[in-house]
């Protein structure tokens, strides 16, 4: 039951937190990012059978054995990019387009690369129905980046590998930020990097998480 202006109340009277509250409690304070979460109904991005789960902080299957990550993780990754609204962003691993929509509300333009053509098509439809007009989805191997639209002010990767693929480093602008889960023995370490003097410098660990592999090559 949803009461206007108040919390959503569960069957036994327990207050269910909204996604904005969940993201806030995960440590996100940027008002633009919180507003983007509020303005982007996650239920529009997943299959109707999962609609009830869309308002919870859980990953949801989107097909091809791939999940859309839990919103707190998506938001904390985006928070690491510190977008101000002027940036051109490259996203690798579009999935259903939920992260793409948030990025598009925070940056000037988003290019997103997805290797599964049908997921790319799903994301395009989801973005269109969410009135997102400044994001372009490209089908391909994101580990190669998107040289035709480089350089990018920020790069964000939603799949894990042992290291950041070279083309993504090359296509990141000087001073630009890159967030990617780096595969380690215990977990995938979602790491913030900054490009300085032409090289990628590790800035800090954002959080440990669990990601699907970045599939490289054909
Ligand atoms: N950001 C998305 C994450 C989806 S899961 C979301 O929250 O909805 C990760 C996605 O990365 C999957 O859709 C998978 O197909 C894609 N992927 C994996 N390797 C890739 C590659 N080399 N190039 C492009 N996309 C890739």
């Amino acid at each position: 039951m949803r009461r206007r202006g108040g919390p959503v109340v569960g069957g036994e009277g327990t207050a269910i937190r909204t996604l904005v509250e969940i993201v806030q409690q995960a440590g996100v304070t940027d008002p633009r990012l919180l507003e983007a979460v509020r303005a982007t109904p996650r239920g529009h991005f997943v299959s109707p059978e999962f609609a009830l789960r869309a308002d919870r902080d859980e990953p949801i299957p989107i097909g091809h054995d791939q999940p859309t990550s839990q919103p707190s993780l998506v938001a904390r990754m985006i928070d690491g990019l510190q977008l101000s609204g002027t940036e051109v962003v490259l996203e690798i691993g579009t999935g259903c387009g939920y992260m793409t929509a948030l990025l598009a509300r925070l940056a000037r333009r988003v290019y997103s690369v997805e290797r599964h053509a049908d997921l790319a098509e799903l994301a395009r439809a989801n973005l269109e129905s969410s009135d997102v007009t400044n994001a372009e989805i490209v089908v391909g191997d994101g580990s190669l980046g998107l040289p035709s639209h480089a350089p990018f002010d920020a790069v964000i990767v939603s799949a894990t590998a042992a290291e950041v693929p070279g083309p993504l480093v090359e296509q990141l602008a000087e001073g630009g930020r890159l967030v990617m889960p780096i595969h380690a023995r215990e977990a995938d370490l979602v790491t913030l990097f900054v490009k300085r003097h032409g090289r990628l410098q590790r800035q800090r660990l954002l959080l440990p998480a669990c990601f699907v592999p970045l599939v490289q090559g054909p």
Side-chain angles (χ1 to χ4, degrees), residues 21-39:
E21 289 166 339
I22 287 168
V23 162
Q24 253 175 330
Q25 280 175 18
V28 173
T29 57
D30 176 0
R32 294 179 69 242
L33 178 47
L34 295 172
E35 172 54 24
V37 171
R38 196 201 55 74

Side-chain angles (χ1 to χ4, degrees), residues 48-173:
E49 63 184 297
F50 297 119
L52 283 176
R53 280 167 66 179
D55 289 332
R56 299 187 201 148
D57 198 28
E58 297 175 4
I60 296 177
I62 54 172
H64 289 285
D65 272 339
Q66 306 294 317
T68 180
S69 305
Q70 61 273 40
S72 61
L73 173 56
V74 172
R76 286 186 64 184
M77 289 176 73
I78 294 176
D79 202 32
L81 298 180
Q82 292 188 354
L83 299 171
S84 68
T86 59
E87 299 85 357
V88 179
V89 179
L90 175 66
E91 177 191 33
I92 307 302
T94 319
C96 65
Y98 177 68
M99 181 185 262
T100 321
L102 295 179
L103 291 167
R105 294 203 151 102
L106 296 167
R108 180 160 63 83
R109 182 139 195 91
V110 180
Y111 295 93
S112 185
V113 185
E114 169 57 53
R115 60 186 289 271
H116 289 295
D118 52 350
L119 285 180
E121 202 42 59
L122 169 75
R124 283 188 195 110
N126 286 342
L127 291 165
E128 200 179 310
S129 64
S130 300
D131 294 326
V132 172
T133 55
N134 57 336
E136 189 175 318
I137 314 298
V138 178
V139 177
D141 178 359
S143 65
L144 304 175
L146 207 55
S148 54
H149 292 91
F152 300 99
D153 303 303
V155 174
I156 189 161
V157 186
S158 290
T160 186
E163 57 185 28
V164 179
L168 301 186
V169 182
E170 283 157 31
Q171 293 166 33
L172 182 64

